[in-house]
Amino acid sequence: GGQASLQLVLRYPEAFGGAACLSPCFQPGTIAAVVANLAAGFTPPPPNNNDGGRGGGAGGASASGTSASRGTDHGTLRESSGKRRNNVLKENQSRLRKSSSGRKGETTPNANTLHSKTIYIDNGGDVEDTRVPVFEALDHFTLNERWWNPGYWWLDTSLQPMIDAMRWTLDQAGVNYTYEKFPGGRHNERAWAQRIHRPLLALYGKKDRNG
């Protein structure tokens, strides 16, 4: 969902002006697609070149196959995610530097790059002393057929390293975006519904003088 939203902006920039990435499962391919989008944004395109397919990568990937416990396994998962994030950053750092240097002297970026889009990213998960509860009874008072909406407690926490990698990538390229962290937030529809106004305001709201 969250990752697919950004992928749609990358693939069809003429159709979408923004992306709402709630608890996104960013993959290395998505970050590489973002780097390609930003690097191409200040390079004049060849005549009659159709860039509609630019930015392809892993879209809509799922982390539902990941499992861990609150103890040692959880720490191992976080460490593994951190190593993956660092590898992604190293791989794309040189391309971002070229993109940044290429912006010197440019006054208007390509309208198809993320510089011209509205990007919202958020996540729940563990934050310092605020932990995601292992079980939340209210999650299961839903309208789905089996009344089952677990919101796996470890998932948002495990997604944070790659979200940090995406934010670093956007920061390095000078892309404006909104990021919000919801300590203790679970990974399910109930948690997202409780904060759905935040991405809607980011995408469609009008800012007052106080921002």
Side-chain angles (χ1 to χ4, degrees):
Q3 178 177 232
S5 178
L6 185 58
Q7 281 285 356
L8 284 172
V9 173
L10 293 170
R11 291 172 184 257
Y12 308 104
E14 71 285 351
F16 297 100
C21 307
L22 284 72
S23 301
C25 178
F26 289 133
Q27 299 295 304
T30 303
I31 294 180
V34 168
V35 173
N37 172 277
L38 297 170
F42 294 88
T43 302
N48 301 320
N49 181 42
N50 182 4
D51 289 339
R54 189 185 302 279
S62 171
S64 60
T66 307
S67 63
S69 65
R70 176 68 78 177
T72 304
D73 288 344
H74 189 211
T76 302
L77 176 63
R78 186 179 302 175
E79 181 180 355
S80 175
S81 298
K83 290 180 179 178
R84 188 181 191 191
R85 171 199 60 197
N86 293 337
N87 290 336
V88 170
L89 295 182
K90 288 179 181 178
E91 290 173 1
N92 292 295
Q93 190 168 23
S94 61
R95 297 182 68 186
L96 281 171
R97 285 175 178 171
K98 292 179 181 179
S99 171
S100 179
S101 62
R103 290 202 306 273
K104 294 179 181 178
E106 296 282 353
T107 56
T108 304
N110 188 315
N112 287 340
T113 71
L114 293 181
H115 289 94
S116 64
K117 307 301 181 182
T118 302
I119 307 298
Y120 171 90
I121 303 171
D122 74 18
N123 197 30
D126 296 342
V127 178
E128 297 179 352
D129 294 334
T130 303
R131 313 281 281 183
V132 181
V134 175
F135 178 79
E136 176 57 69
L138 292 177
D139 281 351
H140 307 294
F141 287 90
T142 65
L143 297 178
N144 63 39
E145 182 178 353
R146 295 180 176 81
W147 295 82
W148 180 244
N149 189 23
Y152 302 108
W153 52 260
W154 73 82
L155 194 47
D156 270 19
T157 303
S158 70
L159 298 179
Q160 190 63 48
M162 291 302 289
I163 292 174
D164 292 341
M166 178 63 77
R167 293 182 60 205
W168 182 91
T169 302
L170 297 174
D171 289 340
Q172 293 300 304
V175 176
N176 291 323
Y177 63 94
T178 300
Y179 173 72
E180 297 198 41
K181 181 72 175 176
F182 296 89
R186 299 174 78 80
H187 194 91
N188 62 15
E189 288 80 2
R190 178 173 174 263
W192 299 324
Q194 291 174 335
R195 62 182 194 252
I196 190 62
H197 61 290
R198 304 305 300 172
L200 292 176
L201 286 172
L203 293 176
Y204 304 110
K206 294 181 178 180
K207 293 185 177 180
D208 57 27
R209 293 181 180 178
N210 296 323

